[in-house]
Every structure is written in structure tokens, then in C-alpha cells.
């Protein structure tokens, strides 16, 4: 059987180059008149790449920005202020590989009485090999999927995202997924959350799998929040295409020069590549809609495995069970 085009680092890079050159339809466009004056925006992984560029553009468009970062405090925030010319930029620490840190971040936001109008779950990793997090999960599973589940459900529970019609504008929740979510055929429920070892070769395949989980979660969250066509919070997901960022920072030293050259020559710069994120967050044309998946600026159906309602429900329940078990184990260790 032939391997999918983006299950290896080289395949993913070539596929990214090819796709960036292909002509695509566009869902629409924004002008600088599309402002988000007074709206509060949360962006995870805003210390670098796409997240930082998104934070800059939200601030430029009049948003109040909260950058949720593991590193770059306070330099990245200062840079976003300087580049955007806005003082409405704040930072808070979160390590998305550590469940306790995510809960501490959410509690901090609750105490500050944060009310987010726009939430962009952007942070992501592609490690060189499988690594265990503090709670024993594989790092990509933890950061690319589980952290987003915990962060968003907790912010919904504690009122920092108000999906009850009480906000003047409907909150928008946006997940940065990837076209690689199409690679795996289905979710492996038997082994959900079980640590799986891999080396660099298996890293991109694992990445695609965690992005399938993320997109399936986005679709299920949309179904749960927006029953009977009543939009309480718009939930969208997207692939930004190939972007010249630090995403391949752990690729082997031998291929780094090739990656840097290819990324520099063919991949989009973050301030251009974040267009689909800014569109889904700011466009007035999509008011009243939820569940949009964009690849670059083209609207497409997500993969069938992400859209499947039965599998989405099962994923939600299995993830809640995993989180419960992780909390019980932590309590037992503390006793
Ligand atoms: N670049 C591409 O071609 C491409 C294509 C499709 C999708 N994407 C997606 O786009 C998103 C942004 O990635 P990027 O390309 O901008 O890469 P990047 O420059 O490496 O940015 C990734 C961000 O995620 C943060 N992060 C990683 N692990 C974290 C953790 N444990 N806790 C908190 N933050 C953490 C990083 O923080 P630190 O600086 O502290 O590590 C960084 O701010 C990711 O979800 C990625 O999967 C990228």
C-alpha cells in the first residue's frame, strides 16, 4: 500500500509546497475595516509563528489580546505590542503538556473575570520522538489534542467563554488543525491516551492522528453547543497550509538546512498564513455559522472520520474518562 503523502517530514514538506502553489477557491476576504474593537481574544502558543502573527493582527484590529504561552514571557508580548502599536496585549503562562498548568491557567482567567469573545487554540508540537508528559501521556496527544479539550471545556464551565446567549456577540472558538488529519482512517478507541513510542519517522504520522482527534473534537463541540441550529458559540477549525515557522525545530540536524531552505523559499510567512484564522475570527459574513473547516482560505468538508457524529460522541466520553483517571491518579499520588 502506498504511504499517504504527508506521513513523513519530507513528504509533508513537498506536499505543503505543492499545495501552496495550487489555485484554490476562497471563502471570502477581510478588509482593515473588519475590526474587533473591544473584543477579548485568547491565543495559545502565541510566543512564536502563527500564534504570534495572529495576536499581532487581533491587536491591530482593535482586540484585547491574551497570549497564553509556555515561553517568551514577557518578550513576545512586548514584540506584539510594538508590531501592532496596541497596548491592549497581555500574557499568561501555561504549559499545555501539563494538565495541572491548564487548570491553573483557567482558574487564573476565572479570577480575572475574563470573558473571551474569540479563542484560538493554536499551540502545537511535532517532537523528534515520543515523550511522556507529567501525567504519562504522549506529548503530541497531550498538547495537540487533550490540552485543547481541557482548556475549552473548562473555560466554558467557568464562564470565561459564555455560550449561553448572554454575550452581545456569539463567541468564536477556532482550532488550528492540519490537512494531515485526513491521513488516519479512524480513531483508535482501544488505545486512546495510551503512550505509544515512536522515533522521528513516526512523528508526522502521530501528528496527523492528533490533528484528527482535534478536528473530531471541534465537530463534536459544535454539535453539543449548537443544537437545533441555535448558535451559542461558533466552532471552526482550519489548516493554514505550509507556514515558515519553528514547527520543525526538532527535525534532525542533517535535514535542517533543507527544511530551512524549503520553508524560506516556498512556505508562507506567518503574517500571511494567519489569514484563515483572522477571517474565521473577525468576518461578519460568517455570523450565524458554525462548523466551518478551511484549508488555507478554501472551505471544505473535514475528513469523514472527524465529521462522524457517533465517533465524536465516543471520543468526548472517552476523553472525559481519561481526564477523570488522570485526576484520580494525581490525587492518589498526593495522599
Ligand atoms: N507550520 C506549518 O506549516 C503548519 C501547518 C499546519 C498546521 N500548523 C499548526 O499551526 C499551529 C502553530 O504552529 P506554528 O507552525 O506556528 O509552529 P511554532 O512556531 O513552533 O509555534 C508553536 C507554538 O506552540 C507552543 N507550544 C508548544 N508546546 C507547548 C506547550 N507544551 N505549552 C504551551 N505552548 C506550547 C510553542 O511554544 P514554545 O515557543 O514555548 O515552544 C509555540 O508558541 C500548530 O497547531 C501547528 O500544528 C502548522
Amino acid at each position: 500500500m502506498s504511504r499517504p503523502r504527508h506521513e513523513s517530514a519530507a513528504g509533508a514538506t513537498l506536499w505543503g509546497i505543492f499545495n501552496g502553489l495550487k489555485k484554490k477557491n476562497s471563502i471570502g476576504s477581510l478588509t482593515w475595516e473588519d475590526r474587533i474593537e473591544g473584543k477579548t481574544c485568547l491565543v495559545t502558543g502565541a510566543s512564536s509563528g502563527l500564534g504570534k502573527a495572529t495576536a499581532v493582527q487581533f491587536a491591530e484590529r482593535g482586540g484585547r489580546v491574551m497570549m497564553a504561552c509556555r515561553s517568551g514571557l514577557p518578550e513576545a508580548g512586548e514584540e506584539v505590542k510594538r508590531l501592532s502599536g496596541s497596548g491592549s496585549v497581555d500574557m499568561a503562562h501555561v504549559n499545555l503538556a501539563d494538565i495541572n498548568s491548564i487548570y491553573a491557567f483557567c482558574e487564573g482567567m476565572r479570577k480575572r473575570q475574563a470573558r473571551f469573545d474569540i479563542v484560538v487554540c493554536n499551540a502545537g508540537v511535532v517532537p523528534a520522538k515520543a515523550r511522556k508528559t507529567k501525567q504519562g501521556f504522549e506529548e503530541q496527544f497531550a498538547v495537540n489534542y487533550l490540552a485543547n479539550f481541557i482548556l475549552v471545556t473548562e473555560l466554558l464551565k467557568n464562564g470565561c467563554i459564555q455560550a449561553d446567549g448572554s454575550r452581545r456577540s456569539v463567541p468564536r472558538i477556532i482550532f488550528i488543525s492540519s490537512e494531515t488529519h485526513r491521513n488516519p482512517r479512524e480513531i483508535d478507541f482501544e488505545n486512546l491516551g495510551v503512550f505509544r513510542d515512536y522515533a522521528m519517522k513516526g512523528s508526522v504520522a502521530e501528528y496527523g492522528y492528533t490533528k484528527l482527534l482535534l478536528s473530531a473534537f471541534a465537530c463534536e463541540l459544535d454539535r453539543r453547543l449548537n443544537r437545533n441550529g441555535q448558535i451559542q458559540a461558533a466552532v471552526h477549525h482550519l489548516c493554514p497550509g505550509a507556514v515558515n515557522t519553528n514547527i520543525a525545530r526538532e527535525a534532525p540536524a542533517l535535514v535542517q538546512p533543507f527544511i530551512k531552505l524549503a520553508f524560506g523559499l516556498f512556505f508562507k510567512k506567518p503574517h500571511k498564513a494567519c489569514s484563515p484564522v483572522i477571517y474565521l475570527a473577525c468576518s461578519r459574513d460568517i455570523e450565524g455559522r458554525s462548523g466551518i473547516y478551511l484549508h488555507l482560505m478554501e472551505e471544505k468538508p473535514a475528513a469523514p472520520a472527524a465529521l462522524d457524529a457517533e465517533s465524536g460522541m465516543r471520543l468526548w466520553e472517552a476523553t472525559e474518562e481519561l481526564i477523570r483517571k488522570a485526576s484520580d491518579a494525581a490525587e492518589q499520588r498526593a495522599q
Side-chain angles (χ1 to χ4, degrees):
M1 202 174 71
S2 68
R3 277 159 66 85
R5 285 157 300 199
H6 31 53
E7 276 211 351
S8 69
T13 307
L14 291 172
W15 185 83
I17 293 171
F18 170 71
N19 236 280
L21 298 171
K22 253 180 34 186
K23 197 158 165 41
K24 293 205 169 47
N25 296 324
S26 174
I27 186 173
S29 59
L30 287 178
T31 68
W32 281 106
E33 308 298 308
D34 292 294
R35 310 263 311 159
I36 47 168
E37 225 72 57
K39 290 197 176 170
T40 306
C41 318
L42 172 66
V43 185
T44 70
S47 60
S48 157
L50 202 71
K52 186 153 69 177
T54 298
V56 171
Q57 294 204 20
F58 283 164
E60 282 175 337
R61 287 176 182 274
R64 288 191 294 258
V65 182
M66 169 57 71
M67 299 164 62
C69 299
R70 170 178 62 174
S71 67
L73 294 94
E75 323 81 78
E78 293 307 318
E79 197 186 340
V80 170
K81 280 185 195 165
R82 184 175 55 75
L83 291 171
S84 64
S86 164
S88 298
V89 178
D90 218 334
M91 287 191 96
H93 177 264
V94 67
N95 178 0
L96 296 166
D98 178 0
I99 291 181
N100 299 331
S101 175
I102 304 170
Y103 284 122
F105 171 82
C106 293
E107 180 56 12
M109 292 301 116
R110 188 192 66 77
K111 285 192 177 143
R112 293 165 70 135
Q113 299 186 325
R115 298 284 178 268
F116 295 116
D117 301 289
I118 295 167
V119 173
V120 179
C121 293
N122 160 77
V125 277
V126 189
K129 58 180 180 171
R131 284 192 292 253
K132 252 188 201 164
T133 66
K134 209 166 164 185
Q135 285 83 24
F137 295 111
E138 187 280 313
E139 189 178 341
Q140 289 204 75
F141 177 81
V143 176
N144 298 352
Y145 168 59
L146 190 63
N148 295 306
F149 185 100
I150 298 174
L151 183 82
V152 169
T153 53
E154 198 57 24
L155 293 177
L156 282 163
K157 269 187 226 152
N158 75 11
C160 291
I161 304 175
Q162 295 189 311
D164 56 4
S166 62
R167 297 293 284 168
R168 207 152 31 93
S169 66
V170 167
R172 297 188 188 189
I173 307 168
I174 297 156
F175 296 98
I176 311 303
S177 184
S178 160
E179 275 291 281
T180 57
H181 87 273
R182 298 186 193 280
N183 283 353
R185 234 171 259 135
E186 57 192 9
I187 295 172
D188 176 7
F189 285 103
E190 291 291 296
N191 296 300
L192 192 79
V194 174
F195 182 84
R196 198 164 31 206
D197 207 6
Y198 58 82
M200 190 66 222
K201 252 184 145 181
S203 189
V204 176
E206 195 62 29
Y207 174 77
Y209 181 65
T210 60
K211 292 296 188 180
L212 167 62
L213 297 176
L214 181 65
S215 277
F217 165 52
C219 296
E220 178 63 13
L221 182 67
D222 174 35
R223 282 188 291 268
R224 286 182 183 231
L225 290 176
N226 305 314
R227 292 177 206 271
N228 311 321
Q230 273 296 91
I231 308 290
Q232 304 287 3
V235 184
H236 305 300
H237 49 149
L238 66 99
C239 172
V243 196
N244 186 7
T245 65
N246 291 323
I247 196 78
R249 63 181 99 172
E250 292 193 36
L254 213 64
V255 297
Q256 279 289 355
F258 161 73
I259 286 179
K260 285 210 172 96
L261 185 72
F263 274 38
L265 282 176
F266 300 107
F267 283 23
K268 278 196 182 152
K269 293 200 167 62
H271 73 273
K272 290 231 165 96
C274 68
S275 300
V277 190
I278 308 301
Y279 183 85
L280 289 175
C282 307
S283 170
R284 279 169 292 185
D285 295 345
I286 55 166
E287 262 167 27
R289 289 194 64 192
S290 183
I292 298 173
Y293 175 77
L294 291 184
H295 173 207
L296 300 156
M297 289 298 284
E298 184 173 17
E299 185 172 359
K300 292 179 177 179
L307 287 165
D308 186 79
E310 209 179 303
S311 158
M313 196 180 352
R314 206 173 153 196
L315 177 65
W316 188 289
E317 284 162 9
T319 306
E320 283 187 325
E321 183 60 23
L322 271 185
I323 298 166
R324 248 194 311 275
K325 279 189 184 151
S327 308
D328 290 350
E331 254 172 47
Q332 273 173 9
R333 276 198 302 274
Q335 278 163 14

